[in-house]
């Protein structure tokens, strides 16, 4: 009987293989950056998969979500909040505009600035995408208690805020 025919033998062989191929990563596992990157890699792959039907990348989602919750935000505000360079945002906004997701209007308080607003199509898209991302986040953090999840978010924010 081959290993393929006997599941227990295949599992034992896989376990031996895992132990012999596993490298000592204790030093890396003590690093915040390493652990953050590993967690982000897992979440990012699923994020890309789930956002593909919406035609959104991570930065697209972030911009649309911010505009959904902050109608009339300026490009300067978006760049500052997301820590992205203005030239990168210009092309992103142009693409979203051509897709009919956002529109430019005079800023309500600053006559020199232009405010960015979601169109009805943009509002619908961001609503659906946010629901998908919330579900993805819940699945990705399912091994954490709600309290642990909240603590993790607060601790990560202490690094960048």
């Amino acid at each position: 009987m081959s290993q393929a025919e006997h599941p227990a033998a295949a599992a034992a062989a896989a376990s031996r293989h895992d132990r012999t191929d596993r490298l000592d990563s204790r030093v890396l596992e003590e690093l915040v950056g390493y652990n953050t990157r590993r967690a982000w890699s897992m979440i990012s792959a699923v994020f890309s998969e789930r956002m593909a039907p919406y035609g959104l990348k991570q930065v697209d989602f972030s911009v649309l979500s911010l505009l959904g919750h902050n109608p009339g935000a300026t490009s300067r505000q978006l760049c500052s909040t997301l820590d992205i360079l203005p030239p990168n945002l210009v092309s992103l906004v142009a693409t979203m505009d051509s897709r009919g997701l956002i529109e430019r209007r005079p800023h309500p308080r600053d006559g020199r600035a232009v405010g960015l607003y979601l169109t009805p199509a943009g509002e619908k898209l961001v609503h659906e995408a946010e629901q998908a991302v919330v579900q993805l986040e819940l699945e990705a953090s399912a091994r954490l208690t709600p309290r642990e999840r909240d603590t993790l978010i607060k601790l990560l924010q202490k690094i960048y805020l």
Side-chain angles (χ1 to χ4, degrees):
M1 181 181 286
S2 72
Q3 286 183 356
E5 295 169 0
H6 191 33
S15 177
R16 283 191 304 276
H17 179 71
D18 288 345
R19 274 184 263 143
T20 59
D21 283 352
R22 184 153 170 89
L23 298 174
D24 180 354
S25 59
R26 287 177 288 186
V27 170
L28 295 175
E29 290 170 2
E30 295 295 320
L31 302 173
V32 172
Y34 177 80
N35 285 289
T36 303
R37 176 72 178 137
R38 292 291 307 266
W40 174 243
S41 292
M42 293 183 69
I43 294 170
S44 180
V46 177
F47 183 98
S48 294
E49 176 186 305
R50 301 248 180 116
M51 289 298 104
Y54 303 104
L56 298 176
K57 296 180 195 146
Q58 294 154 359
V59 69
D60 302 331
F61 171 80
S62 297
V63 168
L64 290 173
S65 182
L66 284 172
L67 292 177
H69 298 279
N70 302 277
T74 65
S75 294
R76 181 184 53 75
Q77 290 173 309
L78 292 170
C79 286
S80 174
T81 301
L82 297 174
D83 195 26
I84 58 178
L85 297 173
N88 296 340
L89 185 68
V90 168
S91 63
L92 191 97
V93 166
T95 300
M96 289 181 183
D97 188 24
S98 70
R99 286 181 63 187
L101 300 175
I102 63 168
E103 61 186 10
R104 297 172 178 97
R105 295 188 219 149
H107 192 274
R109 292 178 300 283
D110 183 350
R112 300 166 296 167
V114 174
L116 300 171
Y117 297 83
L118 294 178
T119 63
E123 288 176 5
K124 182 179 185 297
L125 180 78
V126 79
H127 176 73
E128 291 174 10
E130 282 180 340
Q131 287 181 330
V133 169
V134 167
Q135 184 60 40
L136 146 70
E137 289 270 328
L138 289 173
E139 291 169 17
S141 61
R143 292 171 51 188
L144 302 175
T145 66
R147 185 173 181 184
E148 288 172 330
R149 185 179 185 281
D150 290 343
T151 299
L152 176 61
I153 290 169
K154 285 182 177 92
L155 291 172
L156 290 170
Q157 288 173 345
K158 285 180 102 171
I159 293 173
Y160 72 88
L161 290 180

